[in-house]
Amino acid sequence: MLWSPALLLALVQLVVATPLISKRWDDFAVKHAWTEVPRGWELHGPAPADHTFDMRIGLKQDRFDELVAALYEVSDPSHEKYGQHLSKEDVAALVTPHPDSVDLVDSWLSEHGLDPSACQRSHAGDWVTVRVSVAQAERMLGTKYNIYRHGKSEDYVVRTMNYSLPSVLHDHIAVVAPTTYFGTMKSMKATSFVQKDAPTIESDADFAHLLKDPTSLATVPSSCSTTITPACLRALYNTASYVPAATDKNSLGVAGYLNEFANRADLQTFFQRFRTDAVGTSFVTVEVNGGGDDQSEPGVEANLDIQYTEGISFPTPNTYYSTGGSPPFIPDDQTPTNTNEPYLDWLNFILAQDSIPQTFTTSYGDDEQTVPFDYATTVCNLFAQLGARGSSIMFSSGDSGVGGGDCLTNDGTNTRRFQPNFPASCPFVTTVGGTTRVNPEVAVSFSGGGFSNYFAQPSYQSDAVSAFLTKNGKTNAGLFNTSGRAYPDVAAQAENFQVVIGGRVENVAGTSASSPTFAGVVSLLNDFRLSRGQAPLGFLNPLLYSTGAAGFNDITSGSNPGCDTNGFTAGAGWDPVTGLGTPDFGKLQALMG
């Protein structure tokens, strides 16, 4: 049979004009895969095909590079745009996905019988949420979902060991969840712990009254080496004489997870004992994704956070964000569930608000290697959005030094390497390590610190880190990524915090104490700037590693052992134990005014 030239030309034109032929929805390529079940989890059984959940699809943000460029401009004290933070709409314009990405993803959803118009979409359109069954998700992602159990927390989740996307979608979708990130509200690591046999005190009135006349306090009392109170921290970090003057504009936010509830009665008891001028002051609780506010169950982490952010920043308004992951998956329960994942719920909630606090603190984290790279990158980029809007974001650095457990990699090679923490390793947050003792302060041995295996070293810290690496020589060579984002950035006290829990004073430790402490100091700096008509500090790190470095007390003693090594050692200048050091509010105030 002979084909006419005209017919052949028509067929060629038809092929070229039919883009769906190139959209091979069954041409899968792996997006992320584990070689082994994440440690601490075990396979429980197959997920029911008709179990439904909310699938989140994170689309690639079309102008994200421009957002990062803008973030660094408004955060660099030497740049003409310093302090000119972006609005919610400015940020949305930069993270909105390209129309081609939206069209492709909508076509993919339609192909699987899902109505794109019925999906929930974020303000910028970069997140699409759709209710799917396990069977639908398995077809869409070329995978198999199972139920996994977390031995320590007894949590059950529906997750997969790998997932794929049609090749045509890889340039348009950043992440799909829930898939391979096994972290849940219960399995996350809170970076605090009660010290059962450590000393407690019922009041520090003998010392606290001296703060009313700071000139009478030549040195920080030695008692602060064994029991830390707000008075100790206000003396150590030189905030005692500052009276906040912009409380109508300034606020501080605490991100809470793990069904941890900040208790109002305990806060009043804490004030009566350790900050008497604040008695009667409270905080606002905002419940995110069913986070709850059970006042009959005071949380160690939650109380530590709110008592010390309030204890330092008073009378600055504080907000506690109680972020839920409920309802959790219950085997044999066929009711629809949410994704039950940390970070995404809280971040998407905050970014949707028109007005947000200028300072945030979070005291939770995971080993970086347990967080899939695509998920970690997406979450880290969300923190960049917060920074661009003018918020300072603090994270505790972790309580395992350079790594806890056996420190073996989970890539199938079981290689012993230092284990960085996430989100501490994200370059768009300020990570807070830990110190102990006074006169002088020294590094606390559990202070998390190291180098990311996911995120490249940002330029703002390259000089400081290079100086450390030169001094470090070949120590621990091969155990860490010398070109990775290095942390912590700064430090604060991390042991012997006096915390009221259920009406009783407990002694609590962890870099969970360091992060709210440092956040309290930052909140006072933001108050100072706002009271003078200046912009809040926003993303701190470019400032801290440049002109701000002179406002810190350098910590030159101590180390953070782990992974059967001595870890890193604190010394002059920046180090991956205590960062740039602990804050001196008076010096920072002068530098940032």
Side-chain angles (χ1 to χ4, degrees):
M1 177 179 178
L2 294 174
W3 295 84
S4 72
L7 182 57
L8 282 171
L9 179 62
L11 285 171
V12 169
Q13 289 174 332
L14 178 64
V15 169
V16 171
T18 311
L20 280 179
I21 290 178
S22 66
K23 295 176 185 173
R24 298 271 309 283
W25 301 125
D26 58 349
D27 176 25
F28 285 108
V30 174
K31 189 78 169 79
H32 181 260
W34 292 123
T35 58
E36 60 185 41
V37 175
R39 285 162 202 169
W41 294 89
E42 60 186 28
L43 177 64
H44 180 75
D50 58 352
H51 168 71
T52 61
F53 60 88
D54 289 335
M55 177 188 283
R56 284 193 181 94
I57 304 164
L59 277 66
K60 292 279 182 73
Q61 298 165 342
D62 189 37
R63 299 164 61 197
F64 183 74
D65 288 346
E66 293 179 48
L67 175 79
V68 173
L71 170 66
Y72 281 121
E73 288 175 353
V74 301
S75 307
D76 180 354
S78 67
H79 199 280
E80 62 183 5
K81 290 187 178 179
Y82 180 63
Q84 298 176 31
H85 300 115
L86 279 61
S87 68
K88 175 184 173 183
E89 298 306 324
D90 292 335
V91 169
L94 294 176
V95 300
T96 296
H98 192 280
D100 291 353
S101 298
V102 177
D103 291 345
L104 265 173
V105 170
D106 284 356
S107 297
W108 177 55
L109 294 173
S110 297
E111 179 76 11
H112 288 277
L114 299 167
D115 181 3
S117 66
C119 297
Q120 296 177 1
R121 297 178 191 260
S122 62
H123 176 64
D126 53 336
W127 285 96
V128 177
T129 303
V130 58
R131 176 63 55 81
V132 297
S133 68
V134 163
Q136 282 177 308
E138 289 178 344
R139 288 193 297 271
M140 294 171 73
L141 304 175
T143 191
K144 173 68 179 169
Y145 275 86
N146 288 298
I147 302 168
Y148 295 88
R149 174 182 172 273
H150 188 251
K152 189 174 181 181
S153 68
E154 297 285 321
D155 235 0
Y156 290 86
V157 296
V158 174
R159 295 291 189 272
T160 179
M161 286 290 291
N162 59 75
Y163 78 103
S164 300
L165 288 170
S167 297
V168 70
L169 290 178
H170 273 246
D171 289 337
H172 301 275
I173 292 179
V175 70
V176 179
T179 50
T180 54
Y181 179 37
F182 280 57
T184 71
M185 297 299 170
K186 289 183 184 176
S187 69
M188 291 168 71
K189 292 189 293 189
T191 49
S192 67
F193 49 94
V194 174
Q195 296 179 296
K196 288 294 183 185
D197 298 322
T200 59
I201 56 174
E202 297 304 309
S203 169
D204 66 350
D206 291 346
F207 162 35
H209 82 276
L210 295 175
L211 293 181
K212 294 176 182 177
D213 179 17
T215 58
S216 67
L217 198 60
T219 60
V220 177
S222 59
S223 62
C224 294
S225 279
T226 54
T227 52
I228 286 287
T229 66
C232 289
L233 298 173
R234 294 172 69 210
L236 261 174
Y237 303 139
N238 196 16
T239 69
S241 61
Y242 183 75
V243 179
T247 55
D248 58 329
K249 305 181 188 74
N250 192 37
S251 66
L252 194 163
V254 176
Y257 299 98
L258 294 174
N259 287 325
E260 282 268 351
F261 308 117
N263 188 274
R264 294 178 184 82
D266 281 347
L267 179 64
Q268 294 310 309
T269 303
F270 179 80
F271 282 156
Q272 288 161 8
R273 297 184 179 188
F274 303 117
R275 184 85 205 245
T276 55
D277 57 334
V279 170
T281 305
S282 193
F283 58 92
V284 174
T285 297
V286 173
E287 298 177 38
V288 181
N289 190 30
D293 185 23
D294 188 346
Q295 290 297 295
S296 69
E297 289 190 30
V300 175
E301 184 66 56
N303 276 10
L304 165 64
D305 286 345
I306 205 71
Q307 287 172 20
Y308 279 86
T309 54
E310 290 260 14
I312 295 170
S313 71
F314 169 79
T316 302
N318 279 221
T319 300
Y320 184 81
Y321 295 91
S322 176
T323 308
S326 57
F329 179 80
I330 303 171
D332 306 319
D333 184 350
Q334 300 303 308
T335 58
T337 73
N338 291 318
T339 57
N340 197 27
E341 289 182 329
Y343 309 128
L344 283 183
D345 283 320
W346 183 81
L347 279 163
N348 283 319
F349 173 84
I350 291 293
L351 287 166
Q353 308 305 306
D354 293 326
S355 178
I356 57 179
Q358 294 86 352
T359 310
F360 288 102
T361 178
T362 310
S363 296
Y364 299 87
D366 287 299
D367 287 346
E368 186 184 70
Q369 70 168 1
T370 68
V371 185
F373 178 72
D374 56 352
Y375 188 95
T377 302
T378 302
V379 168
C380 186
N381 290 349
L382 289 170
F383 287 120
Q385 293 184 43
L386 269 183
R389 287 181 60 178
S391 291
S392 305
I393 306 145
M394 267 56 69
F395 265 89
S396 53
S397 70
D399 294 344
S400 300
V402 294
D406 58 19
C407 295
L408 298 180
T409 58
N410 62 355
D411 58 1
T413 66
N414 284 328
T415 305
R416 187 167 65 92
R417 283 176 64 88
F418 290 170
Q419 294 298 325
N421 263 19
F422 178 82
S425 62
C426 170
F428 303 128
V429 305
T430 299
T431 303
V432 189
T435 61
T436 188
R437 303 216 301 262
V438 298
N439 306 323
E441 290 184 86
V442 300
V444 74
S445 62
F446 54 73
S447 182
F451 296 75
S452 174
N453 291 315
Y454 283 0
F455 302 103
Q457 199 171 105
S459 59
Y460 62 70
Q461 65 171 185
S462 57
D463 288 348
V465 175
S466 178
F468 168 79
L469 290 173
T470 298
K471 288 184 292 185
N472 186 64
K474 295 183 178 179
T475 305
N476 299 318
L479 293 176
F480 65 97
N481 174 25
T482 57
S483 62
R485 188 287 204 247
Y487 73 94
D489 302 298
V490 294
Q493 285 282 314
E495 273 196 316
N496 300 311
F497 276 60
Q498 305 298 290
V499 181
V500 176
I501 305 164
R504 297 181 56 231
V505 178
E506 301 274 9
N507 186 308
V508 180
T511 53
S512 281
S514 312
S515 187
T517 296
F518 190 81
V521 175
V522 170
S523 187
L524 295 180
L525 290 168
N526 275 327
D527 178 278
F528 172 65
R529 287 183 58 86
L530 291 167
S531 70
R532 292 159 58 99
Q534 297 172 308
L537 293 168
F539 176 42
L540 293 169
N541 295 6
L543 168 68
L544 299 184
Y545 283 92
S546 57
T547 55
F552 286 83
N553 309 305
D554 196 4
I555 308 302
T556 58
S557 179
S559 61
N560 57 352
C563 303
D564 295 322
T565 74
N566 293 325
F568 296 112
T569 301
W574 180 89
D575 55 68
V577 190
T578 58
L580 296 165
T582 59
D584 183 320
F585 175 81
K587 290 180 180 178
L588 289 167
Q589 184 182 12
L591 290 166
M592 299 176 184

